[in-house]
Amino acid sequence: MNWIALQNKQEVDDIKQLSFSKPQVIFKHSTRCSISTMAKSRLERSSTPTNLDFHYLDLIAYRDISALVANEFDVQHESPQIIVLKDGKCIYDESHSGINMDEIVAASN
């Protein structure tokens, strides 16, 4: 899986704009949480769909961006968390053991 690092506020706007031409996925990951590490590993072991871009947000290092993502896309902050964006809006979000690639793909179609 080719994660695209999400490390600044401008990238949130960029991802939102990209979602009008291709669904975008943000994975909010806590590097201090074993459940988050398991969810990330499960995603990485899955076949990566080519019709989605996957963005990785280290929410420990970038708490302000994590809060911006929650605010911008009207989702409750959770960790770990998957957010799928299409046409500038959140169309799917899931956390913890509910994170799986099949549901991400289904939601993005």
Side-chain angles (χ1 to χ4, degrees), residues 67-86:
L68 175 64
V69 167
N71 235 8
E72 180 71 25
F73 301 111
D74 196 28
V75 294
Q76 181 177 341
H77 164 77
E78 297 189 71
S79 168
Q81 184 175 31
I82 280 288
I83 300 168
V84 179
L85 306 173
K86 192 171 185 178

Side-chain angles (χ1 to χ4, degrees), residues 3 26-45 56-60 77-82 94-99:
W3 293 109
I26 298 173
F27 176 62
K28 292 171 67 174
H29 175 59
S30 170
T31 56
R32 297 181 186 157
C33 173
S34 61
I35 294 170
S36 192
T37 300
M38 287 188 322
K40 182 176 180 273
S41 176
R42 196 169 46 242
L43 289 173
E44 290 173 337
R45 288 191 315 266
Y56 171 89
L57 174 58
D58 176 346
L59 62 90
I60 301 299
H77 164 77
E78 297 189 71
S79 168
Q81 184 175 31
I82 280 288
E94 187 58 78
S95 67
H96 295 82
S97 61
I99 295 172

